[in-house]
């Protein structure tokens, strides 16, 4: 029009944010399965060693090393988790699947590298035997790789094969441990780690084989996914704080009065850690339930709402879909809260009844009860956190995980130092974060129209990120 | 009395050659006693390439290159405290119905409250306005499309208004549309007279474009068209006087909403001294030319088809397409293909050229436009005593047939796209040298009497003085 007509296009016509946002949910949950499998396996190992009357120091050093490998592998990959899930969703959508496999190698490469340096520094002045250090390092690395793989495996949607891989690896590990401890009578932590390391290696190999069948091309742009850290720094922070939130308060206790140092290497606090891990098992049902309800009822109305926005529906139809979505969301959260309350009560009963026979003291059972109750809030908070991600509220999700991570550490320290009370800090932190998260969610949902529309860029700009520039410079990107 | 005149034009001077630009250039050079500021609105960012030498009395060319604003950083989700009345005023430019409260809208956009137009279009207030519009008026229109359509519509307008208007003694817009609204803004802000000259009928041109545009969907065409009518009405409303180049165009202005008493006709004029028919020299054979830019609105293809018929009748005829062909490369390529398939032999696309070199020997001039105002090229051709065959658009028939004067025919006029008739008239002229001389003489006399530069300049000058006086008196007596 005399050269002065603008054709602004709704950008999300080309976009696909539903599948992107959905991927966040997957990534938060897919790590859960292997996580609980690992917890159960470790508990089983401990009970087995106790049953065989292995020396206490061997059991202690085993537990300490396992716990460290477990916690720090998660904190290590936490930041990458949401970033790669977004990256993989984007690349799959753009049909650039050759980027997917390379990003997997890239992530594994970086985590293994960083993990190696961390392990060297950590073990530098430790008096533990080299073989033990090597095995635990391998176990730690394997766990890191498994967390990364579980993200990629979720794209396969072939759950049978995935479960088979885990089952086979676990059984192999169990068998090897049984062989070494009974047949060869090696009642040492090293023996157990040999079994675990080989078993988990098999899991990795089997998972990778599945992934290779699905993603076959690798264009060797290993570090292209790093551009996403620059593009979405909040995602990296979200993942990091998510895991810091889960374990930060444990670390706070380690440096407190109840903290002990195992084998001059591992700072820990059995007094607190053991009941917390048992209590955390109660979150599992909520997360699985979330996955199921979100994928059925909520996702349907959610898709309808965005579908109406994208497919040219008039305002009133969009509004009614939005109201329906809110209604379902309210119901789902309420339902989740109720079910999780039942789970919590069940855990309290079972815990009080059986935990003493697992060697927990009365004090520890008190901690367990408080943390189980706190986990009820925590699981609801995680639900809200995931819903925020579904609505692409990265900043809010970051705030929420950040607030919980900081509060749980600070309050745990305060409760420990001033009231000699353990678990209360986590409980209060989870409660405050839940309230904060609910308010955040309500306010974000009230602004949903604005965020959906106003935040769409007026003109699409393609900018080169600094990371891209750097990668090109060092020749790792075409 | 020296005045400072602000000329407002869309996508033309000094970067694009053509009727409006030449008109602006001669207005300035012919009125050395006045100072000029040119406010030039264009979509693209013209790098350098100024096509006209700046006369001494041109103080400043102020470019608004709309494209360049689009790279600005946007802060979405702001609030601007828009009042009900302001909201109402905004709504009315889209939905029509009520009279638009332009003063309020001008004040809002010019004020410091709106920090950036892009931020405003990404603000919550803007969303609220679109929502209200869809709730009250466009109930069944796809909301998302509406949101983007309104963003597209008002972006250039608001960007223009948001620029600081230079202060001048008189504002003279060269079209309605954005330039017209800016003239109104000048009048509103500085209380200075506003003169509007339409070379074509802007609204009708936009209407045709919109109807043809494939990127505007069905119902939105009406909304876009109404919007441009609204902009024109703003200019008609504010203008102290509205001039057009010929009678037919004045009638349309009245028809689409301009008060009749504001309208008058000022035809274009050319410097006839530059054109000396006595310097013409006949070349052997018959030479037929068209002084045109190779663009679709000139309907070059129809002309080529008629040339093919002429070639059949007069195999020795030579054809000249005089004017730039780089504006629409695709169209030019299509034309060359058509030349090929029509087997046109003696045709030359000169590209940008000195027209006078060709006017010195051409026997017949042709214009096959679909739409025209008052083409300077016809005046120039006639001034050289060359007969013209044109389509019946704009003021072509007025210039060729002279219905209201006694000079007689200066060529022939045929319906638009009618290449048989076009060819027939060309052949008739080509075969009859006597007829060419008679027609040429008629045309030359008409231009010398009615369409000279001094006549045109005097008429505009008298307008400038009259309105300058009026304001001066007003300010003295108040």
């Amino acid at each position: 029009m005399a050269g002065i007509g603008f054709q602004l296009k709704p950008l999300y016509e080309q976009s696909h944010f539903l599948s992107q946002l959905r991927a966040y949910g997957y990534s938060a949950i897919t790590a859960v399965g292997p996580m609980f499998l690992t917890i159960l396996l470790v508990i089983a190992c401990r009970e087995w060693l106790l049953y065989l009357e292995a020396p206490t120091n061997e059991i202690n050093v085993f537990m300490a090393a396992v716990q460290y490998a477990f916690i720090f592998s998660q904190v290590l990959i936490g930041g990458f988790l949401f970033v790669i899930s977004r990256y993989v969703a984007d690349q799959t959508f753009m049909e650039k699947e050759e980027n997917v496999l390379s990003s997997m190698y890239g992530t594994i490469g970086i985590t293994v590298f960083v993990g190696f340096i961390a392990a060297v520094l950590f073990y530098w002045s430790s008096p533990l035997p080299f073989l033990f250090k090597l095995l635990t390092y391998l176990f730690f690395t394997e766990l890191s790789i498994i967390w990364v793989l579980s993200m990629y495996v979720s794209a396969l949607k072939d759950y049978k094969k995935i479960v088979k891989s885990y089952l086979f690896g676990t059984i192999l590990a169990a068998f090897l441990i049984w062989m070494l401890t009974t047949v060869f009578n090696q009642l040492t932590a090293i023996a157990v780690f040999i079994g675990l390391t080989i078993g988990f290696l098999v899991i990795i190999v089997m998972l990778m084989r599945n992934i290779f069948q699905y993603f076959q091309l690798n264009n060797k742009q290993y570090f292209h996914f790093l551009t996403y850290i620059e593009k979405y720094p909040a995602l990296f922070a979200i993942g990091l704080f998510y895991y810091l939130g889960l374990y930060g308060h444990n670390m706070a206790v380690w440096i407190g009065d109840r903290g002990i140092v195992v084998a001059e290497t591992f700072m820990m606090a059995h007094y607190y850690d053991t009941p917390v891990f048992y209590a955390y098992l109660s979150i599992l049902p909520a997360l699985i339930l979330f996955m199921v309800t979100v994928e059925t009822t909520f996702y349907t109305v959610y898709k309808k709402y965005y579908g109406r926005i994208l497919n040219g529906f008039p305002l009133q139809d969009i509004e009614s879909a939005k109201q329906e979505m809110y209604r379902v969301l309210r119901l789902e959260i309420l339902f989740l809260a109720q079910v999780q309350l039942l789970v919590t009560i069940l855990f309290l009963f079972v815990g009080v009844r059986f935990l003493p026979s697992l060697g927990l003291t009365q004090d520890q059972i008190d901690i367990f009860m408080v943390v189980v109750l706190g986990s009820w809030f925590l699981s609801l908070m995680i639900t809200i956190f995931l819903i925020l991600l579904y609505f692409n509220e990265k900043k809010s999700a970051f705030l929420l995980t950040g607030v919980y991570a900081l509060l749980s550490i600070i309050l745990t320290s305060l409760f420990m130092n001033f009231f000699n009370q353990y678990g209360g800090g986590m409980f209060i932190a989870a409660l405050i974060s839940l309230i904060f998260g609910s308010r955040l969610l309500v306010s974000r949902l009230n602004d949903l129209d604005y965020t959906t529309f106003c935040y769409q860029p007026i003109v699409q700009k393609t900018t080169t990120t600094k990371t891209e520039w750097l990668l090109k410079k060092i020749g790792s990107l075409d | 009395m020296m005045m400072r005149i602000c000329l407002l034009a869309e996508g033309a001077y000094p970067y694009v050659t053509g009727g409006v630009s030449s008109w602006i250039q001669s207005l300035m050079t012919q009125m050395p006693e006045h100072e000029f500021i040119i406010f030039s609105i264009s979509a693209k960012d013209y790098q350098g390439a100024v096509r006209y030498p700046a006369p001494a009395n041109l103080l400043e060319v102020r470019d608004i290159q709309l494209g360049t604003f689009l790279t600005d950083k946007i802060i979405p989700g702001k609030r601007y405290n828009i009042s009900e009345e302001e909201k109402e005023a905004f709504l009315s430019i889209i939905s029509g119905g009520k009279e638009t409260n332009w003063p309020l809208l001008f004040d809002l956009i010019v004020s410091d409250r709106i920090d950036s137009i892009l931020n405003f279009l990404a603000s919550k207030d803007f969303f609220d306005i679109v929502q209200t519009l869809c709730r009250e008026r466009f109930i069944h229109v796809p909301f998302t499309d509406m949101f983007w359509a309104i963003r597209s519509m008002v972006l250039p307008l608001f960007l223009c208004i948001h620029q600081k208007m230079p202060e001048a003694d008189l504002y003279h817009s060269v079209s309605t549309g954005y330039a017209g609204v800016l003239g109104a803004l000048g009048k509103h802000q500085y209380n200075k007279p506003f003169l509007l000259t339409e070379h074509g009928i802007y609204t009708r041109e936009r209407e045709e474009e919109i109807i043809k545009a494939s990127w505007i969907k069905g119902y939105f065409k009406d909304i876009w068209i109404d919007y441009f009518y609204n902009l024109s009405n703003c200019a008609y409303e504010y203008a102290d006087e509205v001039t057009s180049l010929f009678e037919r165009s004045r009638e349309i202005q009245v028809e689409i909403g301009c008060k009749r008493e504001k309208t008058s006709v000022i035809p274009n004029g050319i410097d006839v001294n530059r054109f000396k028919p006595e310097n013409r020299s006949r070349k052997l054979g018959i030479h037929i030319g068209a002084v045109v830019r190779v663009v679709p609105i000139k309907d070059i293809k129809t002309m080529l088809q008629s040339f093919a018929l002429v070639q059949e009748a007069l195999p020795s005829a030579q054809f000249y397409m005089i004017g730039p062909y780089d504006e629409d490369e695709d169209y030019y390529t299509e034309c060359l293909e058509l030349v090929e398939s029509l087997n046109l032999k003696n045709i030359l696309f000169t590209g940008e050229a000195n027209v006078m070199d060709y006017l010195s020997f051409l026997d017949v001039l042709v214009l096959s436009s679909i739409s025209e105002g008052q083409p300077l090229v016809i005046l120039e051709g006639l001034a050289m005593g060359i007969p013209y065959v044109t389509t019946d658009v704009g003021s072509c028939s007025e210039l060729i047939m002279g219905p209201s004067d006694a000079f007689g025919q200066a060529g022939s006029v045929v319906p638009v796209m009618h290449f048989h008739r076009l060819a027939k008239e060309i052949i008739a002229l080509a075969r009859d040298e006597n007829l060419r001389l008679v027609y040429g003489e008629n045309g030359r006399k008409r231009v010398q009497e009615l369409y000279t530069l001094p006549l045109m300049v005097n008429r505009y000058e008298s307008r400038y003085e009259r309105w300058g006086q009026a304001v001066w008196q007003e300010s003295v007596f108040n």
Side-chain angles (χ1 to χ4, degrees):
Chain A
M1 19 202 61
I4 317 191
F6 278 104
Q7 180 186 5
L8 300 176
K9 274 186 221 137
L11 295 173
Y12 43 47
E13 224 162 67
Q14 312 131 22
S15 159
H16 53 288
F17 56 72
L18 297 198
S19 58
Q20 286 170 346
L21 305 178
R22 199 178 185 183
Y24 296 140
Y26 279 128
S27 58
I29 308 257
T30 41
V32 166
M35 201 167 107
F36 282 94
L37 189 73
T38 315
I39 293 183
L40 289 176
L41 193 63
V42 169
I43 292 172
C45 288
R46 176 173 175 267
E47 293 308 310
W48 178 245
L49 287 176
L50 281 172
Y51 169 77
L52 292 179
E53 293 175 350
T56 320
N57 65 326
E58 285 295 329
I59 296 178
N60 279 345
V61 84
F62 166 74
M63 286 306 289
V66 158
Q67 195 178 322
Y68 265 59
F70 183 70
I71 291 178
F72 289 103
S73 62
Q74 290 195 35
V75 173
L76 177 65
I77 61 99
F80 292 106
L81 200 60
F82 291 91
V83 176
I84 22 175
S85 81
R86 171 68 181 256
Y87 181 79
V88 169
D90 281 0
Q91 303 305 317
T92 318
F93 178 82
M94 291 189 283
E95 297 188 344
K96 288 189 183 167
E97 300 203 329
E98 63 275 16
N99 275 337
V100 172
L101 206 55
S102 19
S103 74
M104 185 182 86
Y105 288 128
T107 316
I108 291 176
I110 290 178
T111 47
V112 168
F113 177 70
V114 175
F116 175 74
I117 291 175
V120 167
L121 290 176
F122 178 75
Y123 274 144
W124 193 261
S125 55
S126 157
L128 286 164
F130 177 75
L131 183 61
F132 181 86
K133 287 180 183 172
L134 181 69
L135 284 171
T136 49
Y137 164 68
L138 287 178
F139 182 63
F140 162 72
T141 307
E142 283 173 358
L143 282 180
S144 310
I145 294 174
I146 287 177
W147 307 146
V148 174
L149 291 184
S150 62
M151 226 301 304
Y152 286 87
V153 150
S154 69
L156 271 57
K157 302 267 163 19
D158 190 348
Y159 298 106
K160 238 191 221 163
K161 273 188 184 161
I162 300 168
V163 171
K164 226 197 243 164
S165 311
Y166 281 115
L167 220 58
F168 187 75
T170 315
I171 291 171
L172 181 66
F175 174 74
L176 286 174
I177 293 168
W178 173 79
M179 283 269 288
L180 289 168
T181 49
T182 56
V183 180
F184 295 98
N185 205 25
Q186 295 289 314
L187 292 178
T188 59
I190 288 180
V192 180
F193 271 118
I194 290 175
L196 285 177
T197 313
I198 295 174
F200 277 48
L201 183 66
V202 168
I203 295 181
I204 291 177
V205 170
M206 289 180 77
L207 286 179
M208 279 211 176
R209 226 183 42 196
N210 292 334
I211 292 172
F212 291 155
Q213 277 168 7
Y214 191 80
F215 300 105
Q216 292 173 342
L217 291 171
N218 165 18
N219 63 359
K220 307 205 168 143
Q221 313 259 302
Y222 299 123
F223 301 109
H224 182 250
F225 79 96
L226 288 178
T227 55
Y228 270 54
I229 297 183
E230 192 181 333
K231 267 196 218 166
Y232 309 106
L235 283 181
F236 191 84
I238 285 170
L240 194 64
F241 280 115
Y242 181 66
Y243 285 107
L244 274 181
L246 286 181
Y247 306 114
H249 54 107
N250 291 81
M251 299 176 195
V253 175
W254 296 348
I255 55 173
D257 297 340
R258 293 283 182 169
I260 51 165
V261 178
V262 175
E264 291 173 52
T265 308
F266 305 104
M267 292 177 74
M268 45 190 310
H270 291 305
Y271 176 73
Y272 186 65
D273 298 340
T274 316
V276 166
F277 283 124
Y278 284 121
Y280 268 4
L281 288 176
S282 70
I283 305 176
L284 181 61
L287 290 182
I288 291 175
L289 196 64
F290 175 84
M291 200 62 181
V292 174
T293 54
V294 153
E295 281 305 300
T296 51
T297 41
F298 173 68
Y299 194 70
T300 319
V301 285
Y302 169 87
K303 211 164 74 184
K304 188 167 159 193
Y305 168 68
Y306 283 107
R308 286 188 172 184
I309 287 177
L310 297 176
N311 298 322
F313 278 69
L315 183 62
Q316 52 191 15
D317 294 356
I318 295 175
E319 292 277 321
S320 71
K322 188 171 83 176
Q323 291 315 321
E324 192 187 344
M325 180 173 70
Y326 286 178
R327 192 180 54 82
V328 169
L329 201 53
R330 261 195 306 273
L331 286 177
E332 290 301 329
I333 292 177
L334 204 66
F335 174 67
L336 264 168
Q338 288 166 346
V339 173
Q340 189 58 26
L341 182 62
L342 283 179
V343 171
T344 304
I345 293 169
L346 189 75
F347 259 73
L348 289 178
F349 275 111
V350 174
V352 171
R353 172 75 183 76
F354 290 104
L355 285 182
S357 56
L358 288 177
L360 268 68
T361 63
Q362 187 53 48
D363 271 8
Q364 284 181 305
I365 288 173
D366 288 346
I367 296 174
F368 170 79
M369 289 168 75
V370 175
V371 176
V372 164
L373 286 171
S375 297
W376 183 41
F377 301 137
L378 181 63
S379 63
L380 288 176
M381 190 209 90
I382 293 176
T383 307
I384 286 172
F385 158 74
L386 291 174
I387 292 169
L388 282 171
L389 284 177
Y390 263 79
F391 288 107
N392 203 20
E393 291 292 346
K394 291 193 278 285
K395 259 188 201 150
S396 302
F398 163 66
L399 260 180
L400 184 56
T401 49
V403 161
Y404 175 69
L406 287 179
L407 272 184
S408 64
I409 293 172
I410 293 168
L411 290 179
T412 300
S413 298
L414 287 179
F415 271 69
M416 173 173 83
N417 290 324
F418 291 102
F419 310 113
N420 192 27
Q421 204 282 335
Y422 292 83
M426 181 269 171
F427 177 88
I428 302 285
L431 178 61
I432 294 175
S433 307
L434 174 60
I435 294 168
F436 175 63
S438 314
R439 299 185 67 122
L440 215 52
L441 183 64
V442 169
S443 99
R444 293 335 294 152
L445 289 181
N446 282 338
D447 267 7
L448 186 60
D449 288 330
Y450 298 130
T451 36
T452 312
F453 285 93
C454 301
Y455 286 74
Q456 289 296 313
I458 293 180
V459 194
Q460 189 150 40
K461 281 178 269 187
T462 41
T463 48
T464 316
T465 53
K466 288 193 195 91
T467 315
E468 243 165 320
W469 178 83
L470 191 73
L471 288 174
K472 276 201 184 110
K473 259 274 183 313
I474 58 174
S476 134
L477 201 69
D478 299 334
Chain B
M1 188 177 68
M2 195 271 279
M3 289 174 76
R4 180 173 293 181
I5 317 283
C6 178
L7 286 175
L8 302 136
E10 278 182 30
Y13 192 88
Y15 307 106
V16 179
T17 54
V20 174
S21 297
S22 312
W23 178 90
I24 290 175
Q25 182 75 356
S26 42
L27 212 60
M28 291 191 297
T29 45
Q30 296 301 310
M31 295 189 200
E33 72 277 23
H34 294 313
E35 293 176 337
F36 288 87
I37 296 172
I38 289 179
F39 210 80
S40 161
I41 310 160
S42 55
K44 276 180 266 166
D45 149 25
Y46 291 102
Q47 302 285 351
V50 170
R51 307 296 186 94
Y52 292 87
N57 57 339
L58 171 59
L59 298 182
E60 184 190 354
V61 177
R62 192 170 295 186
D63 288 309
I64 307 186
Q65 291 168 343
L66 296 167
T68 57
F69 293 95
L70 300 181
T71 49
D72 291 356
K73 200 168 160 48
I74 301 172
I75 308 165
K78 280 194 166 190
R79 278 273 178 214
Y80 287 97
N81 294 320
I82 304 294
S83 74
E84 259 329 292
E85 288 79 30
E86 285 163 340
K87 198 170 162 181
E88 205 55 49
F90 188 143
L91 288 174
S92 67
I93 54 169
I94 306 295
S95 69
K98 263 176 276 176
E99 290 247 313
T100 302
N101 189 343
W102 286 101
L104 201 66
L105 208 58
F106 286 150
D107 288 339
L108 169 69
I109 300 170
V110 169
S111 74
D112 296 334
R113 280 162 61 202
I114 307 290
D115 54 346
S116 125
I117 295 302
L118 292 181
N119 285 356
F120 180 66
L121 294 188
S123 72
K124 292 181 176 173
D125 295 296
F126 176 76
F127 178 84
D128 289 342
I129 289 169
V130 178
Q131 203 177 35
T132 311
L133 200 63
C134 285
R135 211 166 259 158
E136 289 171 358
R137 173 92 161 69
F138 300 102
I139 299 167
H140 301 293
V141 175
F143 179 71
T144 308
D145 300 305
M146 190 68 186
F147 182 80
W148 283 96
I150 295 176
R151 268 185 166 186
S152 309
M153 278 184 221
V154 301
L155 177 67
L157 176 69
F158 286 5
L159 279 176
C160 287
I161 299 176
H162 197 61
Q163 302 309 303
K164 198 168 158 36
M165 199 64 182
E167 206 168 340
D169 298 315
L170 183 141
Y171 295 90
H172 189 173
S173 295
V174 187
S175 68
T176 60
Y178 306 117
V181 173
L182 282 186
L185 174 66
K187 176 170 175 143
H188 168 78
Q189 270 193 300
Y190 300 110
N191 199 22
K192 289 291 158 63
F194 168 33
L195 185 63
L196 171 65
T197 295
E198 276 196 282
H199 286 247
I201 299 296
Y202 186 92
T203 330
R204 287 284 161 88
E205 289 165 13
R206 295 295 83 75
E207 190 169 353
E208 277 165 28
E209 273 174 6
I210 290 164
I211 290 169
K212 273 186 265 170
S214 57
W215 58 275
I216 307 177
K217 282 181 245 164
Y219 185 67
F220 285 94
K221 297 200 175 200
D222 295 338
I223 300 174
W224 272 95
I225 292 167
D226 288 349
Y227 171 69
F228 278 111
Y229 273 96
N230 230 327
L231 296 190
S232 293
N233 277 321
C234 169
Y236 291 149
E237 193 67 35
Y238 269 88
D240 293 292
E241 183 166 352
V242 179
T243 73
S244 47
L245 300 183
F246 49 97
E247 198 51 42
R248 205 198 280 181
S249 148
R250 167 186 156 139
E251 289 303 324
I252 300 174
Q253 288 174 333
V254 173
E255 202 179 295
I256 60 181
C258 187
K259 286 200 185 105
R260 183 175 287 276
E261 56 270 29
K262 283 188 182 181
T263 59
S264 61
V265 173
I266 303 183
N268 275 334
I270 55 165
D271 180 5
V272 286
N273 300 326
R274 279 176 53 228
F275 300 90
K276 299 191 169 60
E278 57 273 21
N279 291 352
R280 275 167 56 77
S281 56
R282 276 227 56 186
K283 270 197 190 175
L284 207 63
I286 190 87
H287 301 272
I288 298 158
V291 185
V292 283
R293 288 172 293 129
V294 182
V295 289
I297 199 166
K298 303 291 180 190
D299 201 4
I300 306 296
K301 290 181 182 170
T302 292
M303 187 157 18
L304 292 172
Q305 277 173 308
S306 72
F307 284 175
L309 295 177
V310 174
Q311 182 180 262
E312 230 166 78
L314 307 160
S316 66
Q318 311 259 350
F319 305 100
Y320 304 87
M321 223 40 107
I322 305 148
Y325 48 67
D326 48 4
E327 200 170 306
D328 188 338
E329 306 259 359
D330 292 343
Y331 188 70
Y332 175 57
T333 317
E334 286 168 29
C335 287
L336 290 183
E337 281 163 11
L338 187 61
V339 166
E340 192 82 6
S341 68
L342 289 171
N343 203 14
L344 261 175
K345 289 195 194 78
N346 304 317
I347 185 159
L348 173 68
F349 284 82
T350 69
E352 204 161 354
N354 183 2
V355 177
M356 203 58 91
D357 295 346
Y358 293 91
L359 293 186
S360 66
F361 68 87
L362 287 175
D363 299 301
V364 179
L365 281 165
V366 185
L367 194 68
S368 56
S369 296
I370 298 169
S371 169
E372 281 291 350
Q374 187 168 51
L376 286 171
V377 290
I378 295 187
L379 296 178
E380 292 171 354
L382 297 186
M384 277 303 269
I386 307 170
Y388 239 110
V389 182
T390 81
T391 43
D392 188 8
V393 289
S395 80
C396 293
S397 85
E398 211 172 86
L399 296 176
I400 305 297
M401 309 306 277
S404 49
D405 62 49
F407 300 105
Q409 231 171 314
S412 336
V413 178
V414 301
V416 167
M417 291 173 76
H418 211 304
F419 63 91
H420 283 283
R421 291 275 304 274
L422 198 60
K424 201 180 127 213
E425 298 296 340
I426 297 171
I427 294 166
L429 276 170
R431 282 185 170 152
D432 190 341
E433 183 170 4
N434 211 25
L435 189 62
R436 293 206 298 273
L437 286 175
V438 174
Y439 281 3
E441 189 56 20
N442 291 348
R444 198 181 58 80
K445 282 185 186 151
R446 175 172 298 120
V447 171
Q448 275 184 340
E449 285 300 317
L450 302 175
Y451 299 98
T452 65
L453 194 55
L455 265 178
M456 174 186 106
V457 171
N458 282 341
R459 285 168 174 153
Y460 283 113
E461 199 150 26
S462 70
R463 259 52 167 207
Y464 287 170
E465 297 211 328
R466 183 197 311 160
W467 293 111
Q469 289 287 326
V471 170
W472 181 77
Q473 280 170 3
E474 204 176 291
S475 62
V476 167
F477 292 115
N478 282 339

